[in-house]
Amino acid sequence: MTAAPFKDRARVDAYDKVRGTTQYAADIQFPRMLYAMTVPSHVAKGRMTAIVTDAAMQVPGVVRILTPTDFPPPPEPTGEDGPPPPPPTLEMKIAYRGQPIALVLAETLEAAVQGAEAIRQRFADAPFSSVIDSEGSEREPVEDWVAGNSEQAMAGAVTTIEASYESPTQHHNPIELLTTTAVWADGRLTIYECSQGVNVTKGSVAAALRLDPAIVDVKSAYIGGGFGQKGLPQRQTALVAQAAILTGRPVKLVLPRGQIFHVATYRPNSRHKVQIGVDATGKMIAANYHAEHEQSRTGFFSPAEYHESPIRMYGIENYRGTAANIRIDRQAPGYMRAPHPQASCFAFESAVDELAYKLGRDPVAFRIENDTQIDHKTGNPLSSRFLNECLIEGARRFGWEKRSDAPGSMKAADGTQIGWGVAAGCYPSMMPPAIATLRINANGSTRFATSGHEMGQGIRTAIAAILIEGLDISTDKLEVVIGDTTAAPQHMTAGSWGTAGAIPGAAKAVERMRAAVAELLEGRQVAGNLHQQLASVRRPFLQVEVSELGPGQNADAIAALRQGGFVVAGPEYPEFTTMSYIAHFVEVRIEPRTRRIRMPRVVSIADCGRVVSPRTAGSQIRGGVVWAFSAALREATEIDRRFGGYLNNDLADYVVAVNADIGEIDVGFVDKPDPLANSVGLKGLGEVAMVGASAAITNAVFHATGKRLRELPIRIEHLL
Ligand code: MOS
């Protein structure tokens, strides 16, 4: 491939989406389909002693009610490494409020809802802990992240800073609700679901229901926003699948948002204590950082990962990162857009800003001077790092040199306080293996099947760009098949490795196809595009199959991919570490009387290696920045300490950013290939887009007001 920048292209699925013809999982309909509704537990902990279903069965239209006895017991843990155990199905044991205890099946959605409301539950309930500070919460330290000797280095520091920060419980709220439709026919189970990992869904349903995975197909062609909520197996999938098997009819469940709040993963409440030390030259030489977060009794979302980005942000040679779970009785937290660094880089980049002020340094210059090309955790080089380029270009576009340093010194004529803030972010660049099939037909159509999930981030557009730029094919009959276990082995799409998992394989398929065409034509000059060339030599089609590995991976990774395994390489490799980077520059304006904070402009410059799809890459950053605003100034899940569960569990009460809050978001890319990351030189973007942006906003609020606010979300009352 050449290293020339990729062209800006419209989304390949834009017209269908605008016309409403794109089929999302909830759009699917089948004849004789039953509608399902889950029944949530009323208590947070204990054991169910009875489920009374008589009244529910009397509701006209209710066909059947599934209870724990309709499911096999959970599989025994094997003790081997491998895919995580499937989520439990229906159980008498209750671990959190809202846990599904029954599934009502009916001829209509209304009857299913009415039936679910008519179920009576009885419990022997137990005391529970709803938040970190509740009685009965259990602290569980996890492994440290260490570079050098931070205690010794801190003792020698000339200037130090220490501060604590907090990020609240926050829930993903994709517009698309969690949904599953299952069809059992001719000995096969087909599941239509919004999933970021259809192979994981397949494996977990098979394990939960004791089915041969070979008879399970899962399809998720389009996802209406994933953000990590749809990456791990969903508890309701096996419930709906079992309902289809037991009734012999297609079954559909669309979970109401209020239930999603109670069963889906979420961003846990986390607390961060950061200490940084600087030497006489203004170099950050030491950091001690303790992070802890709320965790379910059995959850595995690791607090250690809060350190993965801060440890590599600057050339801090001595770093000690400690972390702990605080186990309580709610459902498990999990991955949510920029999962750990959203919180940890809010904390760390706030602390770096505080330090810059304490030293009297410009926060951009201070960051630039603390750059590194080394991953001090491993001692290896960072494979490509252009964070300083991001900072310099961002400062130029933003007009940073016009900033007056003193907090509270920039005011509009009407008294509006203006604040300019900066912060940086980084996120691991990783790569799963892929298997892809490319077929060009003489009839004008092309089909490319590979691993990947389209959540709106634009992976279909990026794949199409590779195929269209590399091959002379008709663009109107190009079919990209992803998110389908029947088309190609599907690796989970998450952690910003979507493009790395699909694009290098697509590029290899293009090369292989060009070679196959050259071989077929044996030097003959044949007129027309590839379809016409095939037609003129009377070949109905040409097909190539390729596989692509992450750096250092071998055939085992391909075998694991075929088995539905989780086989991501990076960001640490034997010789180097690969990260993506971003710098955000933010202007906030704070209304003098209401203290309402708005963000009229942002400049965000990213180093994500090569940019394959400029249009959708830009949108990823805009989305990340909008969410960072929301996370910093709006979003907090209110936990019900009396009963467990959540109070603001709908979009009326869970407040998110709106258009009026945010003005222009100017996006730029360094767009330099990382030759070590993969053959195309891309590093991944979706997660890093958000990292650091919340800190840039709160740093701007400090610059506007002189108030350092260390607990998110910042609300109007904090500025009164
Ligand atoms: Mo991402 S939060 O790993 O989908």
Side-chain angles (χ1 to χ4, degrees), residues 196 226-229 335-339 427 455 493-496 687:
Q196 294 174 234
F227 313 123
Q229 185 192 60
Y335 301 92
M336 176 162 146
R337 189 82 181 272
Y427 194 87
M455 300 170 252
T493 303
S496 274
E687 312 272 14

Side-chain angles (χ1 to χ4, degrees), residues 655-670:
V655 185
V656 299
V658 297
N659 274 331
D661 291 323
I662 299 168
E664 190 199 355
I665 303 171
D666 180 21
V667 172
F669 294 98
V670 173

Side-chain angles (χ1 to χ4, degrees), residues 39 48-57 65 67 101-102 104 115-122:
V39 180
M48 195 157 53
T49 53
I51 308 179
V52 185
T53 59
D54 313 30
M57 282 305 295
I65 297 166
T67 63
I101 54 140
V104 178
E117 287 170 356
I119 299 264
R120 292 292 165 263
Q121 347 173 346
R122 301 204 210 299

Side-chain angles (χ1 to χ4, degrees), residues 307-631:
H307 299 298
E308 182 143 39
S309 291
I311 203 172
R312 301 192 176 110
M313 191 82 89
Y314 302 106
I316 304 178
E317 287 184 36
N318 305 285
Y319 183 104
R320 174 173 292 278
T322 55
N325 283 306
I326 311 292
R327 295 202 179 270
I328 56 172
D329 300 297
R330 299 217 320 273
Q331 86 269 29
Y335 301 92
M336 176 162 146
R337 189 82 181 272
H340 294 87
Q342 162 55 24
S344 66
C345 289
F346 156 65
F348 202 78
E349 283 293 281
S350 295
V352 168
D353 201 66
E354 297 198 39
L355 194 49
Y357 277 99
K358 190 166 181 182
L359 294 167
R361 301 297 320 278
D362 174 82
V364 177
F366 182 60
R367 284 175 170 81
I368 287 173
E369 286 159 23
N370 277 279
D371 189 37
T372 186
Q373 296 294 327
I374 301 291
D375 171 13
H376 287 291
K377 176 167 178 264
T378 61
N380 282 333
L382 292 160
S383 68
S384 70
R385 171 169 162 127
F386 300 106
L387 177 56
N388 275 5
E389 282 78 352
C390 296
L391 286 161
I392 291 163
E393 172 63 7
R396 186 190 70 75
R397 287 199 195 182
F398 192 82
W400 187 260
E401 82 282 354
K402 295 195 215 72
R403 179 177 183 266
S404 88
D405 293 336
S409 61
M410 289 172 67
K411 266 202 182 124
D414 67 353
T416 295
Q417 290 173 303
I418 300 170
W420 288 6
V422 64
C426 64
Y427 194 87
S429 164
M430 296 171 274
M431 180 171 171
I435 296 169
T437 308
L438 172 61
R439 179 180 171 127
I440 300 181
N441 295 302
N443 70 8
S445 63
T446 301
R447 183 178 192 270
F448 181 71
T450 194
S451 173
H453 299 80
E454 177 62 85
M455 300 170 252
Q457 83 276 36
I459 194 166
R460 287 173 183 277
T461 304
I463 292 171
I466 296 285
L467 299 175
I468 293 165
E469 293 200 9
L471 297 166
D472 186 8
I473 52 173
S474 304
T475 56
D476 55 338
K477 281 199 269 180
L478 169 61
E479 188 192 6
V480 175
V481 189
I482 51 175
D484 185 336
T485 57
T486 67
Q490 299 289 317
H491 196 281
M492 184 197 295
T493 303
S496 274
W497 62 69
T499 41
I503 299 304
K508 193 188 255 187
V510 164
E511 272 175 44
R512 199 66 62 78
M513 179 58 77
R514 292 168 75 108
V517 170
E519 196 183 338
L520 177 69
L521 299 183
E522 293 173 322
R524 283 171 288 171
Q525 292 299 312
V526 183
N529 65 19
L530 286 179
H531 311 289
Q532 293 159 334
Q533 292 178 9
L534 290 177
S536 55
V537 299
R538 298 184 187 286
R539 276 293 285 265
F541 68 88
L542 259 186
Q543 179 167 313
V544 296
E545 182 172 321
V546 299
S547 61
E548 183 75 354
L549 296 165
Q553 288 185 324
N554 59 29
D556 293 349
I558 293 291
L561 172 66
R562 288 194 191 276
Q563 296 296 315
F566 181 86
V567 262
V568 182
E572 289 176 22
Y573 297 100
E575 319 263 296
F576 58 91
T577 298
T578 304
M579 306 287 285
S580 291
Y581 304 90
I582 198 161
H584 300 283
F585 293 78
V586 165
E587 175 174 317
V588 297
R589 286 181 177 244
I590 303 173
E591 208 276 338
R593 278 168 304 277
T594 66
R595 315 301 286 148
R596 174 149 194 140
I597 306 171
R598 289 209 159 117
M599 182 168 74
R601 68 191 184 102
V602 179
V603 174
S604 299
I605 311 290
D607 161 24
C608 58
R610 272 182 96 196
V611 179
V612 178
S613 170
R615 181 83 53 101
T616 57
S619 292
Q620 282 293 291
I621 295 191
R622 288 187 190 92
V625 168
V626 168
W627 200 344
F629 179 96
S630 215

Side-chain angles (χ1 to χ4, degrees), residues 64 66 70-71 105 184 239-249:
R64 181 162 178 165
L66 270 54
D70 289 302
F71 292 86
L105 307 175
W184 174 249
L239 310 187
V240 177
Q242 183 75 333
I245 291 169
L246 293 177
T247 61
R249 293 175 65 175

